Amino acid sequence: MTYNKALNSYNQINNSIEKPEKLILMLYEGALRFAFFAKKASQEGNIEDKVKYIIKVSNIFIELINSLDFEKGGDIAYYLNGLYAYQLELLAKANLENKPEYIDDVIRVLKGLIEAWKEETGL
Protein backbone atom coordinates (compact mmCIF):
# COMPACT_ATOMS: atom_id res chain seq x y z
CA MET A 1 0.00 0.00 0.00
CA THR A 2 2.75 2.46 0.92
CA TYR A 3 4.66 1.61 -2.25
CA ASN A 4 1.61 2.47 -4.38
CA LYS A 5 1.17 5.80 -2.60
CA ALA A 6 4.83 6.64 -3.16
CA LEU A 7 4.64 5.65 -6.82
CA ASN A 8 1.47 7.70 -7.34
CA SER A 9 3.09 10.73 -5.67
CA TYR A 10 6.17 10.35 -7.84
CA ASN A 11 4.07 10.09 -10.99
CA GLN A 12 2.06 13.18 -10.06
CA ILE A 13 5.21 15.20 -9.46
CA ASN A 14 6.87 13.84 -12.59
CA ASN A 15 3.84 14.70 -14.72
CA SER A 16 3.63 18.21 -13.28
CA ILE A 17 7.18 19.01 -14.40
CA GLU A 18 6.63 19.84 -18.02
CA LYS A 19 10.04 21.34 -18.68
CA PRO A 20 13.47 21.24 -17.03
CA GLU A 21 13.08 24.98 -16.45
CA LYS A 22 10.20 24.23 -14.07
CA LEU A 23 12.39 21.81 -12.11
CA ILE A 24 15.08 24.47 -11.58
CA LEU A 25 12.42 26.89 -10.33
CA MET A 26 11.11 24.24 -7.95
CA LEU A 27 14.63 23.67 -6.61
CA TYR A 28 15.14 27.40 -6.03
CA GLU A 29 11.77 27.70 -4.30
CA GLY A 30 12.42 24.64 -2.15
CA ALA A 31 15.82 25.98 -1.13
CA LEU A 32 14.23 29.30 -0.21
CA ARG A 33 11.55 27.61 1.89
CA PHE A 34 14.13 25.47 3.73
CA ALA A 35 16.37 28.53 4.25
CA PHE A 36 13.49 30.33 5.97
CA PHE A 37 12.95 27.26 8.18
CA ALA A 38 16.69 27.14 9.00
CA LYS A 39 16.72 30.82 9.93
CA LYS A 40 13.69 30.45 12.18
CA ALA A 41 15.19 27.39 13.89
CA SER A 42 18.48 29.24 14.36
CA GLN A 43 16.74 32.22 15.92
CA GLU A 44 14.80 29.90 18.24
CA GLY A 45 17.92 28.01 19.28
CA ASN A 46 16.58 24.79 17.78
CA ILE A 47 19.91 23.33 16.69
CA GLU A 48 18.52 20.03 15.43
CA ASP A 49 16.08 21.70 13.01
CA LYS A 50 18.62 24.34 12.01
CA VAL A 51 21.07 21.65 10.96
CA LYS A 52 18.36 19.62 9.24
CA TYR A 53 17.22 22.54 7.09
CA ILE A 54 20.72 23.80 6.35
CA ILE A 55 21.55 20.33 5.06
CA LYS A 56 18.43 20.39 2.86
CA VAL A 57 19.37 23.77 1.37
CA SER A 58 22.96 22.62 0.91
CA ASN A 59 21.84 19.47 -0.88
CA ILE A 60 19.79 21.54 -3.30
CA PHE A 61 22.78 23.74 -4.09
CA ILE A 62 24.92 20.63 -4.62
CA GLU A 63 22.30 19.27 -7.03
CA LEU A 64 22.23 22.61 -8.86
CA ILE A 65 26.03 22.54 -9.17
CA ASN A 66 25.92 18.97 -10.47
CA SER A 67 23.33 19.91 -13.09
CA LEU A 68 25.37 22.74 -14.63
CA ASP A 69 26.37 22.23 -18.25
CA PHE A 70 29.63 24.13 -18.72
CA GLU A 71 29.78 23.43 -22.45
CA LYS A 72 26.35 24.84 -23.24
CA GLY A 73 26.17 27.32 -20.37
CA GLY A 74 29.57 28.94 -20.85
CA ASP A 75 30.27 31.93 -18.64
CA ILE A 76 26.85 31.78 -17.01
CA ALA A 77 27.44 28.20 -15.85
CA TYR A 78 30.80 29.18 -14.37
CA TYR A 79 29.22 32.18 -12.64
CA LEU A 80 26.42 30.04 -11.19
CA ASN A 81 28.95 27.44 -10.06
CA GLY A 82 30.78 30.09 -8.05
CA LEU A 83 27.55 31.60 -6.74
CA TYR A 84 26.20 28.23 -5.61
CA ALA A 85 29.53 27.28 -4.01
CA TYR A 86 29.56 30.57 -2.09
CA GLN A 87 26.05 29.85 -0.80
CA LEU A 88 27.32 26.51 0.49
CA GLU A 89 30.11 28.36 2.29
CA LEU A 90 27.61 30.77 3.87
CA LEU A 91 25.41 27.90 4.98
CA ALA A 92 28.39 26.16 6.60
CA LYS A 93 29.26 29.39 8.45
CA ALA A 94 25.63 29.82 9.53
CA ASN A 95 25.72 26.32 10.92
CA LEU A 96 29.08 26.53 12.66
CA GLU A 97 28.80 30.08 13.98
CA ASN A 98 25.03 29.96 14.56
CA LYS A 99 24.55 33.30 12.80
CA PRO A 100 21.22 33.73 10.98
CA GLU A 101 22.71 36.72 9.09
CA TYR A 102 24.48 34.26 6.82
CA ILE A 103 21.15 32.61 6.06
CA ASP A 104 19.73 36.06 5.27
CA ASP A 105 22.40 36.42 2.57
CA VAL A 106 21.42 33.04 1.11
CA ILE A 107 17.75 34.04 1.18
CA ARG A 108 18.52 37.27 -0.71
CA VAL A 109 20.42 35.36 -3.38
CA LEU A 110 17.66 32.77 -3.75
CA LYS A 111 15.03 35.47 -4.14
CA GLY A 112 17.16 37.07 -6.86
CA LEU A 113 17.65 33.73 -8.61
CA ILE A 114 13.92 33.02 -8.55
CA GLU A 115 13.09 36.44 -9.95
CA ALA A 116 15.74 36.21 -12.68
CA TRP A 117 14.76 32.64 -13.58
CA LYS A 118 11.09 33.52 -13.90
CA GLU A 119 11.96 36.51 -16.08
CA GLU A 120 14.33 34.45 -18.26
CA THR A 121 12.01 31.48 -18.73
CA GLY A 122 8.62 33.16 -18.62
CA LEU A 123 7.43 30.87 -15.82
Side-chain angles (χ1 to χ4, degrees):
M1 189 83 150
T2 305
Y3 173 77
N4 287 337
K5 283 184 180 181
L7 184 59
N8 287 338
S9 293
Y10 171 80
N11 286 333
Q12 286 175 349
I13 291 169
N14 198 32
N15 290 336
S16 70
I17 301 172
E18 301 158 6
K19 319 182 241 182
E21 293 86 2
K22 179 71 174 168
L23 178 58
I24 298 296
L25 180 61
M26 290 171 67
L27 288 169
Y28 286 156
E29 289 173 341
L32 180 62
R33 185 175 62 251
F34 293 138
F36 277 122
F37 293 160
K39 179 182 174 186
K40 182 176 186 273
S42 180
Q43 291 170 327
E44 294 173 351
N46 185 338
I47 304 222
E48 185 177 336
D49 279 353
K50 177 194 75 170
V51 171
K52 176 176 72 174
Y53 290 119
I54 284 176
I55 289 170
K56 287 179 182 282
V57 178
S58 297
N59 285 339
I60 291 172
F61 278 116
I62 291 167
E63 185 59 35
L64 288 164
I65 288 170
N66 289 335
S67 70
L68 291 171
D69 185 337
F70 294 98
E71 287 182 27
K72 291 181 183 175
D75 289 343
I76 293 172
Y78 284 98
Y79 170 78
L80 288 173
N81 185 62
L83 182 67
Y84 296 158
Y86 184 62
Q87 301 317 296
L88 288 169
E89 184 180 325
L90 290 174
L91 290 164
K93 285 181 178 183
N95 193 28
L96 292 172
E97 298 174 23
N98 202 32
K99 291 188 176 178
E101 308 87 68
Y102 292 124
I103 299 172
D104 285 333
D105 291 340
V106 173
I107 288 170
R108 273 192 292 281
V109 167
L110 284 164
K111 286 180 177 179
L113 286 167
I114 290 168
E115 184 179 317
W117 191 251
K118 285 180 176 179
E119 187 176 308
E120 180 69 26
T121 61
L123 293 174

